[in-house]
Amino acid sequence: MSRVRTGEIRALSGLRIVAALWVVLFHFRPLLAEAAPGFNSALAPILNAGAQGVDLFFILSGFVLTWNYLDRMGESWSTRSTLRFLWLRLARVWPVYLVTMHLAAAFAIFTLYVGGHPLPPPVIESLNAMSWLKQVLLTQLWFQPYFDGSSWNGPAWSISAEWLAYLLFGGLVLIIFRIASATRARGLIWLAIAAALAPTLLLLAHGVFYTPWSWLPRIVMQFTAGALACAAVRKLVLTDRTQKAAGVASLLMGAAIVGGLYLLDANRPGDMLDAGGLVDVLFVPLVITLAIGAGTLPALLSTPVMVYLGHISFGLYMVHEIVHTAWNWAVLQFGIQLAPSWWAKFVVLGLILFAGVAAALLYHVVEEPARRWMRRMVEPNRARPAQPTETAAGRLKPVAARAG
């Protein structure tokens, strides 16, 4: 039997690329419909629900941060630890966020001076000092009920939402720690599922997922659900048999999500437009079973390729809409028309692969170097320079420095 509480959960790292690609394909639907209408039609129930990939990210974020910080920050309040946590979160997301934010702004300005097809007026009008300041501070979403148009780089709205969750985490982790100390794992799982239901209830009430301020319960409650799910996993004592059963359960859960999307598409409840959003209720069980499972789906998501793709998934999420916008501008500028053909399919695939290459570059050139640089600001290298010492033969020999 084992209880694991530290280290990377590789299956959840691999899950990140699945969530990111889901969002990417959601935004690329118009191109897929032009280039491969049969493919687009066959996968329509999945593609049309791609916005739910963001909700999966929110749950993953709450889970992973609680996994790493519950013991460090949960027992008692520490202003120093909280500020350090916030700086390290900035180190993780801010560099790529800032680069893609300014790339999106630069492209919008480029369209003003090149060709006769500038981006829509609301985009150009948003290029002002106050908008810039709000986006740099990651607060642009906090001032409006809808996330459309809140950011120069469309997907950045969710980073503004996550920043709010990070600011609340110092208090949330104290609550989660105390709930976990008084609650069994099974109870924590039910609490996690209940917390994740808030956006679903709003969907049932309105029939659409996108309503005024709907982003707020999405981030707060799904982030909290992820934190509670993590607290449950940390309390589980696992046998090999349990882990294998959880792996099979995760595979069945993934199949249920896909099958549920097709079922809801074919049998839409009432006038509900965003019926696919109902599969959100399966995200918490999916994350839990992947976190503790072995074999089958957890094994696939834990492969080196999937884990690496998971590591660059943030860059893909942040850059893909810039690639998409640039293509749409090129279509207008050069009169490009996509018709069902192999050439058109290669174009769409090429755009997605180009976004993937850009994501890898962002990861290796921006994200990781900047993260390490910012981390050194709060965790300075305490290694002392090598000091000479005398060997038995009377010669001086350097002693390797040790990290403090």
Side-chain angles (χ1 to χ4, degrees):
M1 296 186 179
S2 63
R3 179 181 288 176
V4 181
R5 291 186 177 179
T6 59
E8 179 185 20
I9 303 178
R10 293 172 63 82
L12 296 188
S13 295
L15 182 61
R16 290 176 58 84
I17 190 59
V18 176
L21 279 175
W22 200 7
V23 176
V24 171
L25 293 175
F26 172 74
H27 288 144
F28 274 71
R29 285 175 302 160
L31 298 184
L32 287 169
E34 294 175 351
F39 176 84
N40 183 77
S41 177
L43 294 182
I46 298 174
L47 300 180
N48 292 339
Q52 309 316 126
V54 176
D55 299 86
L56 184 52
F57 269 125
F58 289 161
I59 293 171
L60 281 170
S61 184
F63 188 105
V64 171
L65 290 181
T66 303
W67 182 260
N68 289 321
Y69 288 97
L70 186 62
D71 286 337
R72 293 187 242 178
M73 295 174 59
E75 189 169 359
S76 61
W77 172 265
S78 168
T79 301
R80 181 185 180 90
S81 295
T82 301
L83 292 175
R84 176 182 177 276
F85 161 80
L86 291 173
W87 181 255
L88 293 180
R89 292 318 301 160
L90 276 179
R92 172 62 69 184
V93 303
W94 215 16
V96 169
Y97 170 91
L98 289 177
V99 168
T100 51
M101 164 192 159
H102 288 96
L103 278 176
F107 181 74
I109 295 169
F110 170 83
T111 65
L112 282 174
Y113 295 95
V114 176
H117 300 282
L119 296 189
V123 176
I124 302 302
E125 291 168 3
S126 71
L127 296 172
N128 57 67
M130 186 54 67
S131 178
W132 176 85
L133 180 62
K134 289 177 181 177
Q135 291 185 75
V136 167
L137 297 177
L138 298 166
T139 62
Q140 72 271 23
L141 184 63
W142 304 0
F143 300 92
Q144 56 188 69
Y146 292 103
F147 57 73
D148 279 345
S150 64
S151 309
W152 296 338
N153 182 24
W157 73 267
S158 64
I159 311 306
S160 180
E162 287 230 8
W163 179 236
L164 176 62
Y166 299 160
L167 291 173
L168 297 174
F169 183 75
L172 176 65
V173 72
L174 296 174
I175 297 171
I176 298 295
F177 186 91
R178 280 147 186 80
I179 291 175
S181 66
T183 312
R184 294 182 178 180
R186 183 180 300 177
L188 289 167
I189 292 173
W190 284 115
L191 284 174
I193 293 172
L197 284 178
T200 305
L201 293 176
L202 292 176
L203 170 60
L204 290 170
H206 299 284
V208 293
F209 220 71
Y210 193 38
T211 55
W213 301 103
S214 61
W215 63 266
L216 190 55
R218 287 177 74 183
I219 179 59
V220 173
M221 298 311 297
Q222 288 166 341
F223 187 91
T224 301
L228 288 165
C230 175
V233 167
R234 289 166 56 90
K235 299 197 77 164
L236 294 173
V237 178
L238 305 171
T239 64
D240 290 342
R241 183 177 179 180
T242 302
Q243 289 178 298
K244 290 177 181 178
V248 173
S250 71
L251 183 61
L252 295 175
M253 203 64 60
I257 290 171
V258 174
L261 289 172
Y262 279 91
L263 183 64
L264 289 166
D265 183 71
N267 302 276
R268 196 175 299 274
D271 297 327
M272 188 177 294
L273 296 178
D274 295 332
L278 294 175
V279 300
D280 276 20
V281 299
L282 299 177
F283 287 169
V284 166
L286 174 68
V287 169
I288 290 174
T289 51
L290 283 174
I292 66 176
T296 62
L297 187 57
L300 173 63
L301 294 175
S302 298
T303 58
V305 171
M306 292 299 292
V307 171
Y308 173 75
L309 291 175
H311 289 169
I312 69 170
S313 61
F314 177 57
L316 176 63
Y317 178 74
M318 294 302 294
V319 80
H320 80 273
E321 191 58 17
I322 299 175
V323 173
H324 185 213
T325 301
W327 171 258
N328 288 340
W329 175 84
V331 166
L332 293 174
Q333 178 67 25
F334 302 107
I336 301 172
Q337 292 186 344
L338 289 182
S341 64
W342 282 109
W343 176 84
K345 292 179 178 68
F346 281 127
V347 167
V348 177
L349 179 61
L351 290 171
I352 296 173
L353 290 176
F354 179 81
V357 171
L361 286 174
L362 282 171
Y363 178 76
H364 292 289
V365 178
V366 177
E367 184 175 345
E368 276 298 287
R371 181 187 66 82
R372 290 193 296 267
W373 174 61
M374 292 179 68
R375 192 179 187 96
R376 286 197 299 270
M377 296 181 190
V378 293
E379 296 180 353
N381 187 358
R382 297 176 183 176
R384 292 171 295 187
Q387 299 293 328
T389 184
E390 191 169 340
T391 65
R395 294 188 298 272
L396 294 179
K397 177 182 177 182
V399 177
R402 295 182 302 172

